[in-house]
Amino acid sequence: MIERSRAPDLRGFERIVFFTGAGVSRESGIPTYRGRGGIWERFDYREVACQRAFARDPEKVWDWHDERRAEALACEPNLAHRLIAEVQREMPATEVVTQNIDGLHQRGGAERVIELHGSLWRVRCDREGIVKEDFSHPFQPRRCKCGDWWRPDVVWFEDPLDHETIRRAWTAIENCDCLVSIGTSANVYPAAELPLVAMRVGAVTIEVNPEDTPLSGLYAHCLRGPATEMMRRLWPES
Ligand code: OAD
């Protein structure tokens, strides 16, 4: 029988996928979305994170995203981000699939990051079909040279996920032998169902979260604790 709270050593696998959510950045100081003090407890997404809000009041939506940029810039990647990057360096077939838009995996050294929900650090002009990276704060100018607004390249509520991004994530997970889900409440679809693909192909699945989620019962291992401590258990110093 598998002891579900035991952490297997990740060095025993070849194709690992880290599937992360807001909880992996919590110890860096970035709030999660749900739960006490969460972003959606303090803000109404209908005012700041959907296409209709942007059409109604782009300045307000940009002000809110500038606040998110400032929050992320004030934070540093934590040990979990850095250890994930270390796994990727030591085992190059490792993939990182994240729902986060904060860019902390990349700042922590991860090379390839599949960003399911876009990035705070990209903007796009839908009229011209341009996407560009931009790390400034506050983001200026807010209008493209064509006169239309630059829009944060983030998947807002009611937006579809980018087809190519979800295909890359799906392929990585379908081919993995171990999936480590860290810090996601497994509430937001379609992202939440991606770990089920790993279960279907017989990969070893590990959930890292201080709390139970609706999918906890399906994981082979559930590590109850913060991301940094649990990542250290999964990747002990060699
Ligand atoms: P949530 O805020 O829904 O969930 C965060 C999870 O992190 C919870 O299950 C917490 O228990 C867990 N957690 C808290 N502290 C932790 C720690 N130190 N270590 C590990 N886990 C910890 O965030 P997501 O699941 O990422 O979408 O949310 C999914 C999507 O909903 C986000 O990408 C965002 C949001 O609306 C968009 O903005 C499109």
Side-chain angles (χ1 to χ4, degrees):
M1 192 170 116
I2 301 173
E3 200 204 321
R4 293 186 75 230
S5 59
R6 188 183 63 81
D9 185 342
L10 294 184
R11 289 183 178 83
F13 299 98
E14 284 175 11
R15 296 174 313 280
I16 299 164
V17 170
F18 290 100
F19 177 77
T20 67
V24 77
S25 297
R26 183 67 201 91
E27 291 163 89
S28 292
I30 298 184
T32 57
Y33 289 95
R34 294 170 186 78
R36 200 152 40 87
I39 288 179
W40 300 140
E41 201 180 72
R42 290 179 290 132
F43 302 98
D44 183 345
Y45 81 85
R46 289 166 299 194
E47 300 286 320
V48 292
C50 68
Q51 188 62 42
R52 270 177 295 175
F54 192 62
R56 205 167 49 234
D57 193 345
E59 296 282 10
K60 180 175 178 180
V61 172
W62 258 119
D63 287 347
W64 189 80
H65 282 78
D66 269 338
E67 277 175 38
R68 306 279 77 71
R69 281 186 170 209
E71 194 170 66
L73 283 175
C75 294
E76 294 297 327
N78 64 47
L79 182 68
H81 298 109
R82 292 199 305 275
L83 290 181
I84 288 169
E86 197 177 305
V87 177
Q88 206 180 38
R89 275 194 301 278
E90 208 168 297
M91 304 170 79
T94 303
E95 300 288 349
V96 181
V97 177
T98 189
Q99 297 164 84
N100 298 348
I101 59 174
D102 57 28
L104 283 184
H105 280 302
Q106 291 90 332
R107 283 171 59 202
E111 298 257 319
R112 283 180 317 285
V113 182
I114 301 174
E115 295 175 307
L116 291 171
H117 291 163
S119 172
L120 268 179
W121 309 107
R122 284 195 311 267
V123 295
R124 66 177 205 245
C125 171
D126 285 339
R127 187 191 287 177
E128 296 217 75
I130 309 170
V131 184
K132 65 169 185 177
E133 275 196 327
D134 179 282
F135 296 94
S136 59
H137 178 265
F139 170 67
Q140 287 291 348
R142 288 176 172 181
R143 281 186 188 270
C144 174
K145 60 182 180 341
C146 75
D148 211 352
W149 293 86
W150 286 109
R151 175 210 197 276
D153 191 26
V154 165
V155 177
W156 286 328
F157 283 85
E158 296 149 20
D159 285 352
L161 267 64
D162 176 65
H163 201 73
E164 175 58 17
T165 308
I166 194 116
R167 191 195 62 74
R168 283 173 58 216
W170 192 283
T171 303
I173 294 173
E174 217 171 22
N175 289 300
C176 75
D177 57 359
C178 175
L179 178 132
V180 188
S181 162
I182 308 181
T184 175
S185 62
N187 268 309
V188 176
Y189 283 78
E193 68 197 357
L194 285 172
L196 306 183
V197 176
M199 293 166 192
R200 210 187 57 219
V201 298
V204 171
T205 53
I206 304 166
E207 180 181 67
V208 172
N209 199 310
E211 293 173 19
D212 270 338
T213 75
L215 300 184
S216 295
L218 300 176
Y219 281 86
H221 303 271
C222 290
L223 308 185
R224 291 281 161 261
T228 53
E229 199 183 308
M230 297 301 119
M231 263 311 294
R232 191 32 108 198
R233 278 201 210 163
L234 287 163
W235 191 250
E237 270 168 290
S238 51

